[in-house]
Amino acid sequence: MRKTLSYILVIGFFWILVARFAEVERLATVLVSGKWEWILVAFLLQVLYHAVYAGLYQAAFHTVGVHSRFRDLWPVVFASLFVNVVAPAGGASGAALFVDDAARRGESPAKATAGTLLVTIAELGSFVAILVPAMYYLFTRHSLKTFELAGAGIFITVILGLTLVLLIGLWMPSWINRLLGLAHSLANRVWTVIGKRDLLSDTWAGKIVTEFSEAADAVRQHPGRLGRTLAIAAFAHMIDLACLYSLFLAFDQPVGFGTLVAGYSMAILFWVVSPTPQGMGVVEAVVALVYASLGVPGNKAIVISLAFRGLAFWIPLLAGVLVIRKLRSFASEERAQTKVFEVHVAAVAVTIVGCVDILSAITPSLTERIRILQPFLSDATRHGFRLAAVLAGFGLLMISRSLWRRKRAAWTITLVLLITSFVSHLIKGLDFEEASIVAAMIFWLWRVRRHYQVPSDSLSLMHGVRVLVLSIFMTTVYGTLGLYLLDRHFAVHYGFYEALLQTLTMFFEFYNPGLEPITGFGRYFATSIYVVGLVSLTSSLVLMLRSVFIRQPATRAERERATGIVQSYGMSSLASITLLPDKSYYFTSGGSAVAFVTNSGIGLALGDPIGPALDAASAIEEFRSYCIAHDWRPAFYQTLPDHLEIYRANDFDTLCIGQEAVVDVRSFSIEGGAMKSVRTSVNRLSRLGFTADVLEPPLSQKRLEELRLISDEWLAEMHGSEKRFSLGWFDENYIRSCPIMAVRSESGTIVAFANIISEYQRNEATIDLMRRRSDAPNGTMDFLFVKLFEWAAEMGRDTFNLGLSPLAGVGENPDDPIVEKTLGFVYEHLNQFYSFKGLHSFKEKFRPQWSPRYLVYDGLATLLTTSYAIVRADSGSRLVASMLGKRLKSPGDVGERDAESAAP
């Protein structure tokens, strides 16, 4: 959450900087024109002001019983100004920073909240002592305006409201308890709707009220501390007034005390009540207007107003940008993610620079600067570099996403584009301002160069480079020969060298100086050079930035190592499936293995990490880091409920995706009314002479061919293809190594079969493939499962796992997240597209115990991509054919036989 907040704050700062760039430029000009010694005095007074302001917080915290140190509060003062600007909330966002910082030092958040309220009341209350005389002064000078009266009214209302809140919190805790109880209920309800568990604990409201009461006792027992807090607030205003007076001296403008105080009071007043963040734009205008109405020359009034805002607002704002990430509120989480944070800041900044490039290129350059360039550069050259700036800007916009993903290749390409942009801005019109921004971006990108460690797919990268080189060569040959041999289609007759230069210019700059087609074919040919160049550059860029792609899932040594770990620690129905050849493996430092595939930029693990129980937390964290290092988003499919809290602690979201059916074979019986349909099927097939037996591995080739015919017949009937990832497929080596439960007709022919797989350390059996002939009688699968249960009981197994029943039981509870409720709706109302209910009913008739299974994914934004990756992984290389197969099935053909075919 704090990482996300950091990104939002940085983006907000860049937005403020771009939106107010003209104001910042004007401020620099203003400060340079004043007497530097008095400007220095004003600057030092502002430093002193913020030091006293930190002391004000220290005194207020001391008043309510919160321990704090000056060195801890000093950076928070600047950071709170920055937060209040980019996340305006009436000062609440900055106050929250103080509260959070105190909480991270082990202090009471409720007491810290009372302390921040006390600071605000002390600051604004002491300001009233300045505001009232100032309003009277303006009234006597006939300069009191309606908007000033309205602002004062709003200001007084704010003070009274804050005071009332503080008094209620300190002396009427029962009111606060009721209010917080409502907030607790609302927050948890909203949090549940967006897919999270309860945000606030049941004891949250009571704890806050108790801590507020303790703060009230501290204020009552030490009234002198309250007086000291008010005195410090008043002293801070005196320092601010002295700073403003120094600026009058810096610009040689005499000023009376009444005029000085009147302008200052309006500056603070509209700083507080302005609808813009921290009064941006409003304060400057109001202060200039007030001073002008009191006899200060208009130009001096504007200059002094801008200078005061620069020292009191813009410079502290910049300081806030520099110190915010050093605070406890961000440092505890961000120290471990500093690289990622700085890289993401760079990506945002590159996006902004790209926009600046485009805007600069489409706006005219300054005339006087063009005159300087004219003796040295032709208009065509400047036009070419203007176009280069546009292309560099679009390139930066395209590359920023890969830069965000810390791609090494993206860093190199971005650096080239920035250098191109820097040169283009200077040549197209001596645009020093834009060039300075680009130069700063180059410096920043070079500074964080070590953070870009995510590789692109090596083969794709080399292929992209080859495509780029080959496309440049082929396009050059194509364009040069075309212009040379087809010159009758153009107004200019090209020699070979001129045709070569023309082609290179068109390819790299998308600019055609002097090319004038005179026929339709000529226009077509000129356009084709652009198209070929654009397609070549884009395709090579995509290839060079492609995520790492695993072409060979695992080596023999890795597979043997994974087999040893799974046999020693596997305890789920997916344990054997993790050893199938479509999996890659990540081995953790604690001895665990994660079986996974990569699809659509997702590192998709099958089930939980398999290994020592004590290694589960570190295994999950290590796999996340491994995926991030390879530009994948991690996800875990069909996890047990055992480690949900560990996943959530690692910032994963969890989603229930169904229930797994487990039958207790020790007590299973087909007797009784509830098992009548199963008993009927078993008895009927037994009377027909059907039998079942287990074929022990290894199976003969003849037996494999017989089973393959049944499998192929079943696939043809289902209009489907073999699945992958969470299911096995008819692979001869795989089937040969498994025990097979075969159902035989009275003639001894196998009509259905299922392969039995091990769960290793759990005394449970399960199956993977389950196939039957199209002419097998109804009830064949009931017969098969009953015989499987009997076999498992004879083998001393405790339970038999029937596999996942997708979406069953999902979203049924009122407190379930909205995503799970949506899946529950799909289960209830879209059964005609997939027999969810039929499959669940088939398993339910064996009276199993149900256990939930989960999808663990990396944030709501990746849910759709993760879902698509699961579909692709399960469908193997036959995604389109699989989807068409499902669509070819008639919606009305959903019954017992479909449920039997789909199980488990």
Side-chain angles (χ1 to χ4, degrees):
M1 183 66 181
R2 292 177 204 284
K3 180 173 69 174
T4 303
L5 180 59
S6 299
Y7 300 150
I8 293 172
L9 293 178
V10 170
I11 291 170
F13 170 72
F14 279 110
W15 178 84
I16 292 292
L17 191 61
V18 171
R20 299 286 174 174
F21 186 72
E23 187 173 334
V24 174
E25 275 191 310
R26 192 162 63 248
L27 168 64
T29 304
V30 165
L31 290 177
V32 170
S33 65
K35 293 181 178 178
W36 68 267
E37 59 272 20
W38 283 113
I39 290 177
L40 178 61
V41 169
F43 173 77
L44 294 175
L45 285 170
Q46 273 302 310
V47 173
L48 177 61
Y49 167 81
H50 285 91
V52 172
Y53 200 68
L56 173 62
Y57 268 97
Q58 187 177 23
F61 282 165
H62 186 53
T63 301
V64 297
V66 174
H67 174 71
S68 61
R69 297 179 300 181
F70 176 83
R71 68 183 185 186
D72 293 326
L73 296 174
W74 170 258
V76 185
V77 167
F78 293 103
S80 66
L81 174 62
F82 168 60
V83 171
N84 279 330
V85 171
V86 299
S93 49
L97 206 58
F98 281 98
V99 173
D100 188 77
D101 185 76
R104 290 176 176 275
R105 290 187 277 108
E107 301 294 332
S108 160
K111 290 182 180 179
T113 300
T116 58
L117 277 173
L118 183 57
V119 167
T120 303
I121 293 169
E123 182 188 11
L124 300 184
S126 61
F127 174 64
V128 171
I130 300 173
L131 178 64
V132 171
M135 298 288 287
Y136 177 75
Y137 179 79
L138 289 171
F139 176 75
T140 58
R141 294 290 301 269
H142 304 290
S143 296
L144 190 60
K145 305 292 189 297
T146 303
F147 69 85
E148 294 166 344
L149 285 172
I154 296 172
F155 180 79
I156 298 298
T157 303
V158 169
I159 294 176
L160 293 177
L162 291 174
T163 304
L164 183 62
V165 169
L166 181 62
L167 292 177
I168 290 175
L170 293 178
W171 280 284
M172 302 183 73
S174 60
W175 287 26
I176 291 293
N177 193 29
R178 287 196 293 271
L179 180 62
L180 292 179
L182 292 173
H184 170 271
S185 176
L186 178 62
N188 283 346
R189 189 175 299 116
V190 171
W191 210 245
T192 300
V193 166
I194 64 174
K196 306 289 185 180
R197 305 298 170 183
D198 285 352
L199 175 64
L200 303 174
S201 66
D202 293 336
T203 60
W204 174 75
K207 182 180 179 182
I208 294 295
V209 171
T210 300
E211 292 174 349
F212 254 107
S213 298
E214 293 174 356
D217 291 337
V219 173
R220 282 192 293 266
Q221 292 172 11
H222 304 283
R225 296 177 182 174
L226 180 61
R228 185 175 64 179
T229 301
L230 293 170
I232 294 174
F235 182 56
H237 283 298
M238 295 301 103
I239 296 173
D240 228 7
L241 267 171
C243 173
L244 182 57
Y245 181 69
S246 299
L247 291 174
F248 273 91
L249 296 178
F251 294 100
D252 293 320
Q253 178 59 45
V255 63
F257 183 73
T259 301
L260 178 71
V261 172
Y264 174 77
S265 66
M266 291 300 106
I268 302 302
L269 175 62
F270 283 91
W271 195 325
V272 174
V273 303
S274 169
T276 61
Q278 300 294 287
M280 282 194 301
V282 176
V283 171
E284 293 88 337
V286 169
V287 172
L289 182 62
V290 169
Y291 280 135
S293 68
L294 294 175
V296 177
N299 60 333
K300 291 291 184 71
I302 293 173
V303 166
I304 292 169
S305 172
L306 288 174
F308 181 65
R309 282 291 281 175
L311 294 175
F313 173 71
W314 284 106
I315 293 178
L317 176 66
L318 178 60
V321 175
L322 298 177
V323 305
I324 189 167
R325 289 190 53 254
K326 304 297 183 182
L327 302 184
R328 290 181 176 84
S329 297
F330 296 91
S332 61
E333 179 177 317
E334 296 299 329
R335 282 194 190 104
Q337 301 180 7
T338 298
K339 294 180 180 179
V340 177
F341 179 87
E342 291 182 340
V343 165
H344 288 184
V345 171
V348 173
V350 163
T351 302
I352 294 172
V353 170
C355 294
V356 170
D357 282 354
I358 296 170
L359 292 174
S360 176
I362 63 177
T363 54
S365 300
L366 297 177
T367 305
E368 57 272 17
R369 297 184 183 180
I370 296 297
R371 291 197 189 100
I372 297 174
L373 291 172
Q374 280 178 341
F376 309 100
L377 299 171
S378 66
D379 290 343
T381 301
R382 288 190 296 100
H383 178 78
F385 278 97
R386 182 179 294 276
L387 186 57
V390 172
L391 295 176
F394 279 115
L396 292 173
L397 294 179
M398 292 174 60
I399 205 75
S400 60
R401 181 174 180 272
S402 297
L403 204 66
W404 180 284
R405 290 153 51 199
R406 299 188 296 126
K407 305 285 278 185
R408 275 200 302 262
W411 180 88
T412 302
I413 295 171
T414 302
L415 200 62
V416 171
L417 289 172
L418 287 172
I419 293 172
T420 302
S421 174
F422 177 80
V423 174
S424 298
H425 285 306
L426 292 178
I427 294 180
K428 71 182 177 64
L430 289 180
D431 295 325
F432 299 114
E433 298 83 359
E434 292 89 335
S436 299
I437 295 173
V438 174
M441 191 65 246
I442 293 173
F443 171 78
W444 175 262
L445 205 62
W446 183 261
R447 178 181 174 274
V448 298
R449 64 189 182 280
R450 293 184 180 87
H451 301 345
Y452 293 87
Q453 299 299 326
V454 175
S456 297
D457 183 62
S458 57
L459 293 179
S460 296
L461 179 60
M462 294 305 299
H463 184 50
V465 173
R466 286 196 295 268
V467 167
L468 179 61
V469 173
L470 184 61
S471 63
I472 292 174
F473 175 75
M474 294 302 297
T475 305
T476 302
V477 172
Y478 168 75
T480 302
L481 292 179
L483 293 174
Y484 179 71
L485 298 175
L486 303 172
D487 59 351
R488 66 182 179 278
H489 296 282
F490 302 95
V492 177
H493 297 289
Y494 290 97
F496 184 82
Y497 180 70
E498 289 78 9
L500 174 63
L501 291 181
Q502 179 72 44
T503 302
L504 292 175
T505 301
M506 294 175 67
F507 183 86
F508 287 106
E509 297 187 16
F510 287 79
Y511 170 57
N512 58 345
L515 184 66
E516 298 181 19
I518 57 177
T519 67
F521 182 81
R523 286 187 291 272
Y524 158 78
F525 183 80
T527 303
S528 70
I529 296 177
Y530 292 130
V531 172
V532 170
L534 181 62
V535 171
S536 301
L537 291 173
T538 303
S539 59
S540 61
L541 183 64
V542 170
L543 286 170
M544 286 189 284
L545 298 176
R546 188 178 181 183
S547 299
V548 174
F549 180 70
I550 297 180
R551 292 170 173 81
Q552 183 64 36
T555 64
R556 181 175 180 179
E558 289 172 336
R559 198 165 299 285
E560 290 175 353
R561 182 180 177 186
T563 300
I565 293 173
V566 171
Q567 290 177 347
S568 299
Y569 298 102
M571 294 186 64
S572 77
S573 61
L574 298 173
S576 291
I577 307 299
T578 63
L579 298 177
L580 293 180
D582 62 329
K583 309 299 187 303
S584 300
Y585 299 100
Y586 174 73
F587 300 101
T588 72
S589 59
S592 298
V594 179
F596 72 98
V597 298
T598 58
N599 256 316
S600 306
I602 302 293
L604 184 63
L606 182 61
D608 300 290
I610 300 174
L614 295 178
D615 187 48
S618 61
I620 292 168
E621 184 177 352
E622 286 181 32
F623 182 68
R624 170 189 271 282
S625 300
Y626 174 76
C627 287
I628 291 173
H630 287 77
D631 196 24
W632 307 322
R633 302 299 291 271
F636 297 81
Y637 180 55
Q638 290 194 37
T639 68
L640 301 173
D642 304 16
H643 303 313
L644 291 184
E645 293 307 317
I646 298 177
Y647 286 116
R648 290 166 183 158
N650 279 276
D651 293 330
F652 284 105
D653 287 339
T654 60
L655 175 66
C656 183
I657 55 174
Q659 306 278 329
E660 203 167 68
V662 180
V663 175
D664 187 344
V665 297
R666 297 168 301 181
S667 59
F668 177 79
S669 172
I670 60 174
E671 302 301 323
M675 300 296 293
K676 181 179 178 180
S677 64
V678 177
R679 185 170 62 251
T680 299
S681 296
V682 172
N683 291 339
R684 179 167 53 82
L685 266 68
S686 296
R687 286 194 300 270
L688 292 174
F690 279 69
T691 59
D693 61 315
V694 174
L695 308 177
E696 296 293 342
L699 303 183
S700 67
Q701 188 63 34
K702 180 179 179 180
R703 187 68 70 192
L704 283 173
E705 291 299 331
E706 183 179 7
L707 298 180
R708 179 179 288 281
L709 288 175
I710 298 172
S711 176
D712 292 345
E713 186 177 338
W714 178 83
L715 289 172
E717 182 187 6
M718 298 301 295
H719 305 289
S721 60
E722 294 281 17
K723 303 299 181 186
R724 294 288 192 273
F725 187 55
S726 61
L727 296 171
W729 58 95
F730 199 98
D731 176 81
E732 288 192 358
N733 292 331
Y734 172 49
I735 299 299
R736 180 182 284 115
S737 64
C738 296
I740 302 293
M741 174 65 76
V743 176
R744 300 178 185 271
S745 66
E746 68 279 6
S747 63
T749 303
I750 298 177
V751 297
F753 73 90
N755 69 311
I756 304 169
I757 57 177
S758 174
E759 296 189 25
Y760 301 106
Q761 297 305 309
R762 176 170 289 173
N763 193 30
E764 180 175 276
T766 188
I767 61 170
D768 181 19
L769 302 186
M770 187 173 62
R771 307 285 162 88
R772 58 166 175 75
R773 293 186 184 275
S774 58
D775 59 354
N778 284 342
T780 298
M781 307 316 284
D782 288 354
F783 185 85
L784 173 63
F785 272 102
V786 170
K787 296 305 178 182
L788 282 167
F789 300 157
E790 291 175 355
W791 171 85
E794 291 173 4
M795 298 298 294
R797 305 293 188 186
D798 297 329
T799 53
F800 195 96
N801 194 307
L802 300 180
L804 182 69
S805 181
L807 305 187
V810 176
E812 293 181 348
N813 298 322
D815 295 335
D816 285 342
I818 189 66
V819 178
E820 292 185 10
K821 291 180 178 178
T822 302
L823 293 179
F825 178 86
V826 171
Y827 177 78
E828 291 293 334
H829 300 282
L830 299 180
N831 194 61
Q832 65 268 32
F833 296 105
Y834 187 88
S835 185
F836 295 116
K837 289 186 176 180
L839 176 59
H840 183 70
S841 298
F842 174 78
K843 295 180 179 182
E844 178 64 34
K845 62 186 175 184
F846 298 110
R847 298 296 179 262
Q849 297 294 318
W850 295 97
S851 176
R853 293 296 178 264
Y854 294 86
L855 170 64
V856 177
Y857 57 100
D858 192 21
L860 189 61
T862 69
L863 181 56
L864 286 178
T865 308
T866 303
S867 302
Y868 178 68
I870 293 170
V871 172
R872 285 194 62 187
D874 272 342
S875 301
S877 60
R878 299 289 303 278
L879 175 60
V880 176
S882 176
M883 297 302 294
L884 288 175
K886 290 183 181 295
R887 294 296 299 272
L888 287 170
K889 290 188 64 180
S890 169
D893 190 27
V894 178
E896 182 184 39
R897 291 176 67 87
D898 282 307
E900 291 173 351
S901 301

